[in-house]
Amino acid sequence: MVTHGALTVYAKIKPGMVEQLRLKLYEIHTPPNDIETNPIVPFKSITTIHFARFVILEEAKDLKGNTISPSLVLSTNYDKPLNKHIEELAQIAGAGLEEIFNYCVGFERGDDLAAFIKKHKMSCAAFYKGTPYRSVPRILREAELREDIANYIDKQVKSDKSFNAHTLRNKIVEYVNSEKRYAWICNKENPTFLWKVWFLISKIFCVLTITPVAVLAAICGIIPIRIKERQDSSEKNVLEEEKILKLVNEEDKIVQNQLTHLVDIKPGWFRLITLKFVLFIINLLAIYKFNKGELGSIPSIHFARWVIIDNGRRLLFFSNFDGSWENYLGDFVDIAAVGLTGVWSNTVDFPKTKFLIFEGATDEQKFKTWTRAHQIPTQVWYSAYKLLSVQNINNNSAIREGLTGAMSDKEIKDWLKRF
Amino acid sequence: MVSNIEFKDIQGLIVRGYNELPASCFLLLNITDVVKARQWLRIISEEITDGISKPTQKAVQVAFTYAGIKKLGMGESSLRSFAREFKEGMTADHRKRVLGDLGESNIAKWQWGGPANEEVHIMLMLYYSLEKSLEDDCAIQVSKFNGVQLIKRLDSNLSTLQKRKEHFGFLDGISQPLIKGFSKQGDPRFMVEPGEFILGYGNEYHKLPDSPWVSGAENQSDLLPLLQDGGNNYDFGKNGSYMVFRQISQDVLKFWKFMDDATNEGGSDEEKRVKLASKMMGRWPSGAPLVKCPERDDPAFAEDNSFEFYHADRDGLKCPFGSHVRRSNPRNSKGPTPEESDLINKRHKILRRGRPYGTYIESFDPVEIAAHSDLLKDRGLHFICFNTSISRQFEFIQDTWINNSKFQGLYNDPDPISGNPLGRCKSETGSFTIQAEPVRERIKDVPAFTKVIGGAYFFMPGINAVKYLASIR
Ligand code: HEM
């Protein structure tokens, strides 16, 4: 069984080096290079990476007017364990990563790359995964398997008109079993029974301890929050056309898209604590509730993470999702407004909220404008399976599971619908 | 219910489709002399058909591209207040992936509106009851042109229109959103807020849609109302709407030949052919929805629009997930629950006002079609729709539903009628899956039967706003 991790490496860029670093990153995906095979970070060869990105956080001023110097963030969604992932990074892309981190404070050529990565690793405040327990090789294998069976069905249906659901499944199972290259289907890649029991116990423990705390926090927090909300100045989000163009020019090139979003957290300890608490709850929900491919009914998110950076001054959000920005943001507004408002109402310029979680994101135009205003360009972005949606990946696994064991007639009928 | 909608200021095409005026032509104009063009526009503005009149002889409408409004002299800051999609235009480089304007639909090959064509500024739309009056009056209109120059004339065709068929032979113009405050009312669950189609009214989020404005300093006339945001800007957008125009060419022979090849098992079979095409469309040629009569066409249901998918056809066994009608309006089948789906669906609606062009070949038989004397003439659809948010409505439908090969859990199935998977999936063809028991039928290598050969984003202002444009100095 494989679980997913979110690695966030945050490093300050050496003074005056931003532009050179930008050029280096540009080189990674610009012809004659391409993102998958380029000699700097040949992503396709790194088998533990689902999605990866490099982002430059430009020099900025915090709310007090202090300068935040520019930094580089490397993010990966990887197959655990972390050590093995970092080892693979160093082994396959060591030279390229050294070149890149050489532009960062605290790293000089020849330094220990793995140690640097570990030292600059930030923990996420919340992490959501849409395809749990699926390693990259597993996702690719299962996609191939599904396509092959689908072709087999096409042929079978043409040659024999008299089949029924039962005989068809038997034929498919027989076919797959006869192919040596599919020997892996019997491998156990899902959580074991023992693991499930442990998971259930921890879930119950969590619900029992967190619920009263959350209720108490809500009761204590509600009035100060309302007071603060009413004092919030109205939002002033201006869209810079040039930046928006930069963003959209990189969108809609493959089945998935990415979003990098960076915004100042409202001043004061109260907002920071509220934010941390909401993200803590979201993280638990992501672990215990939204663990079957949907984040609050949104079926299109592969990975999403929130990271609080710069000593609680800024909130960084990364996500990888299927389809367009418009669709993604629309889902946010239409289906998940409460959760998102709960998080981002603690950041500046967010559309007006009520009681932390209401209104806010439901103001569709303002919410979309706010999101674009704080979205930042991602210099390098990689997807290990650019033609697969979350729904595809999870459906492929269900197809694979249906190849072993006994099934009732109803189960067979439902299973065949998956093609 | 007394409606607060100012039909008198709204251009009539937004209110009605002018079925009684089947003869029409669209004139694409380029402004050559701004001062004269404004004078000409002032005269035209008196002729514009409003949303109250029910014309039986003639109707006139006018719409502008961003370049056109800029040319007419609107100020910088006011120009910025238009929607980004409109400002960038239909052919902005990144938009081709969203709209699928790649491959055969590549904007470089367009006949108008593309980067290689003359810049379109204004579209004058003329509708008549008789073809003869169209010819006569159109000539008069052209002779009156002053400061504007005709780039191209787009005609729509009577023979298809009178039967209300599009060129593949299917009844069109059946399903339209029902709008609150309009005369035609229906089930309140499906009534859509007017602000989805007309600026200045509440939308489906119970907010006023962002509307283009002119600053107080710039507004020398009393034609525009004050913007309802407390500031000193005037609402240029009020009673106007963004109009999407796409000329989509249809390859009728390719379409029916493909249907024939895919169903031809030891002999050509019209019934099978039509059934496959109907599976792709989601309605039969008569218009009858597949959900209501999955096995064969039944003209008794021709105009039926009272169907849903969630309860009647959750697994797509009657109307495939990938069919044009199901994906351009998934009704209650998109989740999370059917009720929420209905609600969310109302945020992705367009008001369609398109018309077919070119001569109609009335046949489902590729041999007959191939032999037709008019075969080589171009035919297709002048796709026209109105919305107040191009990105959330038209572009969303085109991208997230129509072009998207992953729609509703599918793998490689773009819309067989008007989809193009080149943007994200980089493939020229897609498959089409017909959900069935015990197992689906999958048709592979479905090519594109349509291609876009011209188009632009327009703004169709309220009548007073047109007068405002004419009054700019
Ligand atoms: C040549 C291309 C096209 C053809 C031949 C075509 C044909 C049709 C037909 C026959 C119908 C069913 C009649 C009806 O419900 O009114 C229909 C419905 C519809 N089409 Fe198209 N169409 C084309 C392009 C498009 C495009 C580009 C869009 C939008 C981006 C679109 C959006 C719709 C919508 C929203 C409906 C109504 C669905 C419903 O409410 O049930 N169509 N089309």
Side-chain angles (χ1 to χ4, degrees):
Chain A
M1 183 187 92
V2 169
T3 54
H4 298 154
L7 172 66
T8 314
V9 181
Y10 176 103
K12 291 285 174 202
I13 300 171
K14 287 176 186 161
M17 289 295 186
V18 177
E19 293 318 310
Q20 284 174 35
L21 172 59
R22 203 191 305 279
L23 279 177
K24 188 88 237 159
L25 295 178
Y26 184 72
E27 210 183 307
I28 292 182
H29 57 92
T30 307
N33 285 343
D34 82 66
I35 186 77
E36 295 183 347
T37 57
N38 72 85
I40 306 162
V41 187
F43 282 105
K44 194 88 204 167
S45 315
I46 308 174
T47 59
T48 50
I49 295 186
H50 293 253
F51 292 91
R53 73 182 78 188
F54 282 104
V55 183
I56 292 176
L57 310 185
E58 310 286 346
E59 180 176 302
K61 291 250 185 291
D62 71 7
L63 293 175
K64 291 206 181 97
N66 302 320
T67 302
I68 303 178
S69 57
S71 50
L72 173 71
V73 177
L74 159 66
S75 134
T76 63
N77 292 107
Y78 66 92
D79 289 327
K80 280 184 179 175
L82 179 63
N83 276 335
K84 209 178 126 238
H85 172 58
I86 294 180
E87 216 171 88
E88 201 192 12
L89 284 178
Q91 202 170 44
I92 292 170
L97 288 173
E98 276 188 26
E99 241 181 298
I100 290 167
F101 286 125
N102 199 27
Y103 294 107
C104 295
V105 178
F107 191 88
E108 298 301 330
R109 238 177 264 268
D111 283 0
D112 181 347
L113 186 69
F116 179 82
I117 289 176
K118 282 179 195 159
K119 183 167 171 221
H120 289 82
K121 176 170 78 69
M122 312 270 304
S123 59
C124 348
F127 178 40
Y128 167 79
K129 31 212 176 291
T131 55
Y133 313 123
R134 286 146 184 88
S135 66
V136 176
R138 175 178 169 190
I139 287 172
L140 298 177
R141 276 199 308 261
E142 288 180 346
E144 210 181 290
L145 173 68
R146 194 265 359 161
E147 186 54 36
D148 191 33
I149 299 177
N151 287 330
Y152 176 79
I153 293 174
D154 290 342
K155 263 190 262 148
Q156 206 55 38
V157 173
K158 275 219 175 65
S159 66
D160 172 15
K161 298 263 173 228
S162 63
F163 66 90
N164 61 32
H166 200 78
T167 55
L168 182 62
R169 174 174 182 250
N170 286 345
K171 281 218 157 117
I172 295 171
V173 171
E174 222 171 86
Y175 165 71
V176 173
N177 286 339
S178 73
E179 294 279 315
K180 278 214 182 59
R181 61 192 161 129
Y182 296 137
W184 53 266
I185 63 160
C186 299
N187 298 354
K188 291 262 168 288
E189 296 193 85
N190 279 331
T192 57
F193 178 72
L194 221 64
W195 196 87
K196 281 188 191 156
V197 170
W198 178 86
F199 188 76
L200 190 69
I201 292 171
S202 71
K203 178 173 176 175
I204 293 169
F205 176 77
C206 217
V207 172
L208 290 181
T209 50
I210 301 297
T211 314
V213 176
V215 171
L216 196 71
I219 293 172
C220 299
I222 200 147
I223 291 180
I225 286 206
R226 191 72 199 113
I227 293 171
K228 291 211 176 279
E229 281 174 342
R230 305 189 75 167
Q231 294 163 348
D232 282 344
S233 58
S234 67
E235 53 294 313
K236 42 177 185 321
N237 294 300
V238 231
L239 296 183
E240 299 160 44
E241 282 176 24
E242 208 177 310
K243 186 195 83 176
I244 304 293
L245 215 56
K246 218 184 239 168
L247 296 175
V248 295
N249 274 335
E250 294 304 317
E251 282 173 9
D252 306 314
K253 294 188 167 172
I254 57 174
V255 166
Q256 304 105 13
N257 266 314
Q258 61 76 29
L259 179 87
T260 301
H261 188 272
L262 176 67
V263 61
D264 287 319
I265 297 167
K266 282 177 182 162
W269 59 270
F270 184 76
R271 281 295 189 178
L272 183 60
I273 289 199
T274 311
L275 175 65
K276 283 188 173 167
F277 185 71
V278 174
L279 287 173
F280 176 70
I281 300 286
I282 287 187
N283 196 44
L284 290 179
L285 287 171
I287 294 172
Y288 293 114
K289 186 166 157 64
F290 302 124
N291 53 13
K292 291 174 195 66
E294 294 191 357
L295 177 58
S297 308
I298 301 179
S300 56
I301 305 174
H302 290 261
F303 294 96
R305 81 179 70 165
W306 284 268
V307 187
I308 295 173
I309 58 171
D310 304 324
N311 298 321
R313 282 179 291 172
R314 296 197 290 180
L315 177 62
L316 186 59
F317 175 69
F318 289 146
S319 76
N320 300 287
F321 54 93
D322 296 323
S324 67
W325 187 95
E326 187 65 33
N327 179 40
Y328 182 53
L329 268 284
D331 278 349
F332 272 10
V333 178
D334 294 337
I335 314 180
V338 165
L340 302 177
T341 303
V343 175
W344 276 301
S345 56
N346 299 300
T347 65
V348 299
D349 297 339
F350 195 75
K352 275 229 174 265
T353 52
K354 252 191 188 152
F355 299 109
L356 189 68
I357 55 173
F358 297 113
E359 301 193 356
T362 61
D363 193 335
E364 177 247 354
Q365 294 171 124
K366 283 200 177 133
F367 176 64
K368 285 178 183 166
T369 305
W370 173 84
T371 307
R372 278 288 193 211
H374 297 279
Q375 187 180 346
I376 58 173
T378 299
Q379 279 71 26
V380 175
W381 181 56
Y382 166 74
S383 158
Y385 29 84
K386 51 190 182 182
L387 288 177
L388 293 173
S389 67
V390 174
Q391 283 179 307
N392 287 163
I393 292 170
N394 292 331
N395 189 55
N396 292 347
S397 292
I399 285 175
R400 177 252 183 103
E401 267 145 46
L403 290 168
T404 45
M407 266 187 177
S408 69
D409 285 350
K410 164 104 182 32
E411 282 167 338
I412 294 179
K413 203 171 134 179
D414 287 342
W415 183 70
L416 286 173
K417 281 182 195 155
R418 296 184 173 280
F419 294 95
Chain B
M1 188 182 86
V2 186
S3 159
N4 67 341
I5 300 177
E6 297 170 9
F7 289 108
K8 189 95 191 93
D9 191 43
I10 296 170
Q11 295 204 40
L13 183 63
I14 299 173
V15 183
R16 48 184 63 85
Y18 297 140
N19 282 337
E20 320 68 32
L21 308 175
S24 49
C25 73
F26 309 125
L27 304 178
L28 299 170
L29 310 178
N30 173 280
I31 298 173
T32 49
D33 180 324
V34 190
V35 177
K36 286 185 186 155
R38 287 192 204 119
Q39 282 164 6
W40 168 79
L41 193 58
R42 188 163 319 126
I43 299 168
I44 287 293
S45 70
E46 298 300 331
E47 290 181 40
I48 297 176
T49 312
D50 64 33
I52 292 186
S53 15
K54 295 186 180 138
T56 52
Q57 314 266 310
K58 173 184 174 185
V60 178
Q61 325 288 172
V62 63
F64 305 84
T65 60
Y66 181 68
I69 293 179
K70 195 169 172 180
K71 189 102 185 172
L72 283 167
M74 189 181 273
E76 275 295 317
S77 62
S78 310
L79 281 169
R80 265 202 293 277
S81 64
F82 282 95
R84 180 169 65 85
E85 309 86 84
F86 179 67
K87 286 185 283 189
E88 291 173 358
M90 190 180 274
T91 56
D93 192 55
H94 58 91
R95 190 151 278 118
K96 61 184 187 236
R97 299 188 294 270
V98 171
L99 299 182
D101 294 337
L102 295 156
E104 284 301 301
S105 297
N106 191 331
I107 52 175
K109 298 183 193 164
W110 283 10
Q111 295 175 6
W112 64 273
N117 313 114
E118 214 172 331
E119 194 169 74
V120 178
H121 293 144
I122 301 177
M123 177 178 276
L124 186 66
M125 310 171 85
L126 305 170
Y127 296 82
Y128 302 92
S129 54
L130 301 170
E131 191 144 23
K132 169 121 185 21
S133 8
L134 180 139
E135 282 316 322
D136 297 348
D137 199 69
C138 189
I140 298 176
Q141 287 290 358
V142 173
S143 72
K144 284 196 293 195
F145 282 167
N146 190 8
V148 295
Q149 172 199 329
L150 183 64
I151 299 176
K152 199 170 170 63
R153 168 176 159 170
L154 303 170
D155 283 43
S156 62
N157 186 269
L158 295 177
S159 62
T160 36
L161 206 69
Q162 274 155 354
K163 295 195 173 78
R164 288 181 46 212
K165 295 271 186 180
E166 53 72 41
H167 284 284
F168 295 141
F170 292 79
L171 192 69
D172 201 358
I174 307 164
S175 177
Q176 288 284 15
L178 292 169
I179 304 169
K180 287 185 191 166
F182 275 42
S183 59
K184 196 169 163 200
Q185 300 288 301
D187 187 332
R189 278 180 304 158
F190 305 120
M191 298 296 298
V192 183
E193 294 292 337
E196 292 293 307
F197 311 103
I198 310 170
L199 294 170
Y201 305 90
N203 67 12
E204 276 296 324
Y205 289 100
H206 309 291
K207 295 278 188 282
L208 283 177
D210 288 341
S211 184
W213 45 259
V214 283
S215 62
E218 217 181 300
N219 182 21
Q220 302 296 340
S221 67
D222 52 1
L223 289 161
L224 305 176
L226 209 55
L227 199 67
Q228 302 168 39
D229 71 346
N232 182 31
N233 294 325
Y234 289 82
D235 195 352
F236 176 79
K238 176 89 183 185
N239 296 326
S241 183
Y242 289 104
M243 181 177 91
V244 176
F245 195 116
R246 282 162 79 76
Q247 183 173 2
I248 309 177
S249 169
Q250 293 173 259
D251 193 333
V252 175
L253 178 61
K254 193 177 180 186
F255 184 79
W256 286 109
K257 176 115 179 34
F258 182 88
M259 301 306 147
D260 191 39
D261 291 345
T263 55
N264 191 331
E265 290 168 15
S268 191
D269 182 334
E270 175 142 326
E271 206 178 302
K272 283 191 188 155
R273 200 156 65 220
V274 171
K275 186 166 178 178
L276 174 59
S278 304
K279 286 276 183 191
M280 290 188 178
M281 193 61 90
R283 287 184 185 262
W284 294 95
S286 78
L290 281 162
V291 177
K292 289 280 173 84
C293 37
E295 286 313 314
R296 58 193 56 80
D297 200 350
D298 182 352
F301 289 105
E303 304 267 337
D304 194 310
N305 199 28
S306 65
F307 58 93
E308 54 80 48
F309 298 113
Y310 183 82
H311 302 286
D313 191 26
R314 199 169 314 174
D315 295 327
L317 299 177
K318 296 173 186 163
C319 182
F321 295 141
S323 64
H324 179 63
V325 159
R326 188 158 182 158
R327 66 200 301 156
S328 59
N329 182 3
R331 301 180 186 227
N332 62 354
S333 65
K334 277 292 283 179
T337 64
E339 293 74 27
E340 282 170 277
S341 176
D342 270 330
L343 216 68
I344 295 168
N345 205 41
K346 291 205 273 184
R347 295 163 178 169
H348 306 292
K349 290 265 175 212
I350 48 175
L351 194 57
R352 288 179 298 143
R353 290 288 185 249
R355 295 187 158 205
Y357 70 90
T359 50
Y360 187 33
I361 303 180
E362 192 164 9
S363 170
F364 301 141
D365 180 354
V367 178
E368 220 172 271
I369 296 171
H372 199 282
S373 57
D374 280 343
L375 178 69
L376 293 179
K377 292 185 187 151
D378 183 32
R379 56 181 56 72
L381 177 66
H382 287 140
F383 175 88
I384 301 173
C385 76
F386 289 101
N387 49 196
T388 53
S389 168
I390 299 176
S391 57
R392 175 165 59 80
Q393 294 169 272
F394 166 69
E395 286 183 355
F396 181 96
I397 297 176
Q398 183 72 51
D399 176 57
T400 301
W401 289 347
I402 288 182
N403 289 343
N404 181 4
S405 305
K406 306 292 177 179
F407 179 78
Q408 204 133 18
L410 294 166
Y411 281 76
N412 186 28
D413 296 26
D415 185 336
I417 304 298
S418 56
N420 185 347
L422 263 172
R424 288 204 173 82
C425 293
K426 313 276 182 289
S427 74
E428 297 271 353
T429 60
S431 9
F432 182 67
T433 308
I434 303 173
Q435 287 76 34
E437 281 175 339
V439 77
R440 91 289 180 279
E441 184 185 342
R442 180 168 69 156
I443 297 172
K444 285 179 113 173
D445 304 320
V446 185
F449 304 117
T450 59
K451 63 178 180 198
V452 180
I453 57 172
Y457 287 152
F458 290 90
F459 187 70
M460 183 177 274
I463 296 171
N464 277 328
V466 175
K467 292 184 176 154
Y468 169 78
L469 285 177
S471 78
I472 295 177
R473 259 181 281 272

